[in-house]
Amino acid sequence: MSTIAITPESALPARKHYLNIKTTLASWLLTTDHKRIAILYLISISVFFAAGGFFAGLIRLELLTPKGDLLDGDTYNKVFTLHGIIMIFFFLIPSIPAVLGNFLVPIMVGAKDLAFPKINLLSWYLYIIGGGLAVFALISGGVDTGWTFYTPYSSTYARSEVFLAVSAAFVAGFSSILTGLNFIVTIHKMRAPGLTWFRLPLFIWAHYATSLIQILGTPVVAITLLLVGLERLFHVGIFDPKLGGDPVLFQHLFWFYSHPAVYIMILPGMGVISEVITCFARKRVFGYEFIAFSSMAIAIIGFLVWGHHMFVSSQSTYAGIVFSLLTFLVAVPSAIKVFNWTATLYKGEISFEAPMMFAFGFIGLFTIGGLTGLFLGAMGTDVHFHDTYFVVSHFHYVMVGGMVMGFLCGMHFWWPKMTGRMYPQNIAIVAAVLVFIGFNFTFFPQFILGYLGMPRRYHEYAQEFQMLNVMSTAGASVLGFGYLLPVIYFTWSLFKGPAAGPNPWNAKGIEWQVQSPPPTFNFDEGRPIVVEEAYAYSTEG
Ligand code: HEM
Ligand SMILES: [Cu+2]
């Protein structure tokens, strides 16, 4: 049964909303409206996603053949480094929080904006400055350290633009910190009357947990990258053993942030899935408190497992055992979420609209990503898998299969709210299926390649690995096409899409009670008063 209620285009009301209230360029670049800032972010992260995707394409083309015949070794190193830096720091980390979070957090808590609108705009400018530095690093010769910037190569030996690249990540880090700060204050201080903590949408809980990590973790990586820069410029001995430094110290500091950072990327995606699954199963979410607290548990335990990236560094075996155990522990809250989503679907009145298709994709791919994390978290197997394509595949399953799916899921769910217009459902479902199939064809072979021992970060490989690499490149073209489709039909829908009305999915939640697109201060008819939980759907399960 379809749950979409569409109003014909002629009924599109000629009213003032956040998009058309002012139309000058200055009104966009100086806006403090959280919704407009979300749109600024959407445009900028899409540009970076395209750039990161271009580099991914180059990597896959090079790996079509065993010989390094398209790119030489140095160029290949730069290509995968830029792919990683752009995708992680300039796409994945900001994507859901800065676009969907920015747009929705104030509305979902019943506030007219975030707590600090000007700081919110500052975050975007910092992101742009960081992004500008990254582009500058790219055109002045590129970087070749890998996105992990391991020392002493990065701090002493690399002859590429490491300083510019770490500065880029450093500045972008502050953008992320300020967004987190804004969310935390908003969620604490600006909830509508009646909106108690346990009536908050799970999307808000996920963003709250994410914000905690952003505030507690990002300063650590910022300082670490600053130290790399200092050592590089002034030869202060911090990480380079020749100068009396400790290279493994870098790995500790880097992963102390970067493991939690993977949860900065995935938690918001999980928040999206919790909203979408309950809406299209028309059922109260199963185990609300468990899902809410598992976000917090992930945020906390996520800080205790960084050593699983260092089993084969000089870390002691005892430390390795402890990190291994703790890593298994962090999989528990992730599994709780998957079980609870499944239980929410059970006996639900399920419908298969586009956002739901992306949500299914997320659950399937994230589960594979999470489970293979356990292979890597087990010390014995990780010694074999470390630095092979198995790791590459694992993190793409969680970050691309999980997070990017979650982002697309959220975009398809809230697009009508953001723009006031619908997009063609059938094509969107085709896109979801293409992304799912293309993704698996791209990355599943990489599990096998890694298992067979193909190392990551080389432009050449042994002849016997070619068949699986060809599969992977073929899959990547399908995946790329799957990502291109939404760009096309979303752009079409901006101009030609039928009017969506306030609540096309018959969803619960405050954001569906305001107009689409919402007015500048969200609640023209006064602040909402919340009298029930977030997911009061009728179906009993
Ligand atoms: C379900 C829980 C998870 C477990 C148990 C887990 C475990 C691991 C382990 C042990 C490694 C290190 C492998 C090695 O270098 O030898 C690893 C790598 C990685 N994981 Fe996970 N992981 C989990 C979830 C995630 C999530 C949710 C993300 C991202 C959204 C993620 C992203 C990454 C990345 C980016 C790397 C590789 C970093 C690099 O070396 O470049 N993981 N994971
Ligand atoms: Cu980790």
Side-chain angles (χ1 to χ4, degrees):
M1 186 202 80
S2 173
T3 48
I4 312 178
I6 297 177
T7 343
E9 188 174 8
S10 53
L12 205 63
R15 51 174 196 90
K16 284 285 174 209
H17 50 70
Y18 84 101
L19 286 172
N20 66 5
I21 189 141
K22 283 191 196 132
T23 49
T24 58
L25 187 62
S27 76
W28 278 92
L29 294 179
L30 299 174
T31 183
T32 49
D33 182 341
H34 64 104
K35 300 180 291 300
R36 283 191 161 207
I37 296 174
I39 302 293
L40 292 177
Y41 268 113
L42 176 61
I43 297 167
S44 11
I45 66 158
S46 305
V47 171
F48 278 102
F49 185 66
F54 170 74
F55 288 121
L58 282 182
I59 297 175
R60 281 317 326 157
L61 273 181
E62 166 61 70
L63 296 178
L64 257 181
T65 58
K67 285 210 173 55
D69 37 18
L70 178 67
L71 308 167
D72 62 55
D74 278 342
T75 314
Y76 184 77
N77 291 350
K78 289 179 179 171
V79 166
F80 74 69
T81 301
L82 281 160
H83 166 70
I85 292 178
I86 290 177
M87 285 305 201
I88 300 232
F89 296 110
F90 296 97
F91 175 71
L92 289 169
I93 291 184
S95 59
I96 297 184
V99 177
L100 296 171
N102 240 329
F103 196 96
L104 293 161
V105 167
I107 308 184
M108 281 183 168
V109 302
K112 66 180 173 25
D113 207 311
L114 283 173
F116 308 114
K118 286 183 184 149
I119 292 187
N120 196 20
L121 182 63
L122 175 65
S123 305
W124 182 71
Y125 275 103
L126 287 173
Y127 169 86
I128 291 296
I129 295 171
L133 283 168
V135 173
F136 190 45
L138 166 70
I139 51 185
S140 25
V143 240
D144 64 349
T145 56
W147 78 279
T148 46
F149 299 112
Y150 270 22
T151 54
Y153 183 67
S154 63
S155 62
T156 308
Y157 301 101
R159 279 173 290 112
S160 56
E161 296 302 327
V162 179
F163 187 76
L164 279 176
V166 292
S167 310
F170 180 86
V171 176
F174 282 92
S175 158
S176 172
I177 295 172
L178 293 179
T179 303
L181 188 78
N182 233 328
F183 286 171
I184 289 198
V185 178
T186 307
I187 296 168
H188 269 277
K189 290 290 180 196
M190 296 171 68
R191 280 173 286 126
L195 188 53
T196 54
W197 282 90
F198 289 104
R199 282 178 180 169
L200 283 174
L202 290 162
F203 181 84
I204 297 288
W205 275 102
H207 276 74
Y208 186 76
T210 308
S211 304
L212 284 180
I213 309 178
Q214 283 174 311
I215 290 185
L216 297 175
T218 317
V220 178
V221 80
I223 303 272
T224 311
L225 296 177
L226 193 71
L227 292 178
V228 170
L230 283 181
E231 184 166 275
R232 213 176 149 76
L233 287 187
F234 304 114
H235 311 290
V236 201
I238 305 162
F239 303 122
D240 185 355
K242 244 187 14 205
L243 302 169
D246 178 359
V248 181
L249 174 65
F250 173 83
Q251 296 185 27
H252 279 293
L253 292 172
F254 181 82
W255 288 113
F256 180 80
Y257 162 77
S258 293
H259 184 83
V262 306
Y263 293 110
I264 296 181
M265 300 174 224
I266 200 76
L267 276 168
M270 293 170 152
V272 169
I273 301 306
S274 299
E275 300 296 321
V276 170
I277 291 280
T278 108
C279 172
F280 295 100
R282 315 226 72 76
K283 226 183 98 187
R284 179 172 191 258
V285 71
F286 182 87
Y288 171 96
E289 291 83 0
F290 280 91
I291 299 189
F293 280 120
S294 62
S295 291
M296 300 303 284
I298 286 176
I300 296 163
I301 308 172
F303 274 107
L304 306 177
V305 302
W306 77 90
H308 65 213
H309 295 271
M310 301 169 59
F311 289 140
V312 296
S313 68
S314 60
Q315 180 175 270
S316 82
T317 316
Y318 298 105
I321 292 172
V322 174
F323 278 122
S324 198
L325 280 174
L326 287 166
T327 300
F328 276 78
L329 214 62
V330 80
V332 174
S334 310
I336 287 179
K337 288 194 194 277
V338 174
F339 284 129
N340 282 8
W341 292 324
T342 318
T344 306
L345 292 172
Y346 179 65
K347 290 196 179 165
E349 213 178 276
I350 298 172
S351 59
F352 297 89
E353 269 92 30
M356 187 64 151
M357 297 303 280
F358 282 100
F360 284 139
F362 175 101
I363 297 180
L365 301 179
F366 173 75
T367 304
I368 300 182
L371 286 175
T372 49
L374 295 174
F375 290 67
L376 297 170
M379 230 195 331
T381 36
D382 184 66
V383 172
H384 177 70
F385 289 137
H386 180 70
D387 261 346
T388 68
Y389 264 84
F390 194 93
V391 177
V392 176
S393 191
H394 154 72
F395 69 73
H396 282 88
Y397 264 86
V398 271
M399 302 199 306
V400 182
M403 195 269 130
V404 180
M405 270 292 197
F407 177 67
L408 287 174
C409 174
M411 284 306 298
H412 284 81
F413 191 47
W414 284 294
W415 179 265
K417 180 55 58 189
M418 298 171 87
T419 64
R421 295 189 184 257
M422 286 311 285
Y423 51 86
Q425 280 298 302
N426 294 345
I427 308 183
I429 291 171
V430 171
V433 173
L434 281 180
V435 168
F436 185 80
I437 295 176
F439 180 87
N440 279 302
F441 265 99
T442 312
F443 290 103
F444 203 85
Q446 299 186 7
F447 278 130
I448 308 171
L449 284 167
Y451 174 78
L452 294 174
M454 178 169 161
R456 62 193 281 209
R457 298 186 170 173
Y458 287 90
H459 70 143
E460 294 175 326
Y461 54 83
Q463 182 72 47
E464 72 215 58
F465 297 137
Q466 184 168 18
M467 213 261 287
L468 289 163
N469 272 296
V470 171
M471 264 177 85
S472 184
T473 301
S477 0
V478 178
L479 183 61
F481 184 64
Y483 286 147
L484 196 64
L485 275 182
V487 178
I488 298 171
Y489 57 74
F490 277 155
T491 313
W492 173 87
S493 125
L494 267 186
F495 301 100
K496 301 265 180 204
N503 192 359
W505 317 116
N506 291 318
K508 304 283 176 184
I510 299 177
E511 80 272 28
W512 301 108
Q513 290 164 25
V514 299
Q515 293 294 324
S516 311
T520 296
F521 293 112
N522 302 337
F523 303 102
D524 279 354
E525 284 104 43
R527 274 189 100 180
I529 296 173
V530 179
V531 290
E532 58 183 2
E533 61 180 48
Y535 308 104
Y537 290 102
S538 52
T539 314
E540 293 298 324

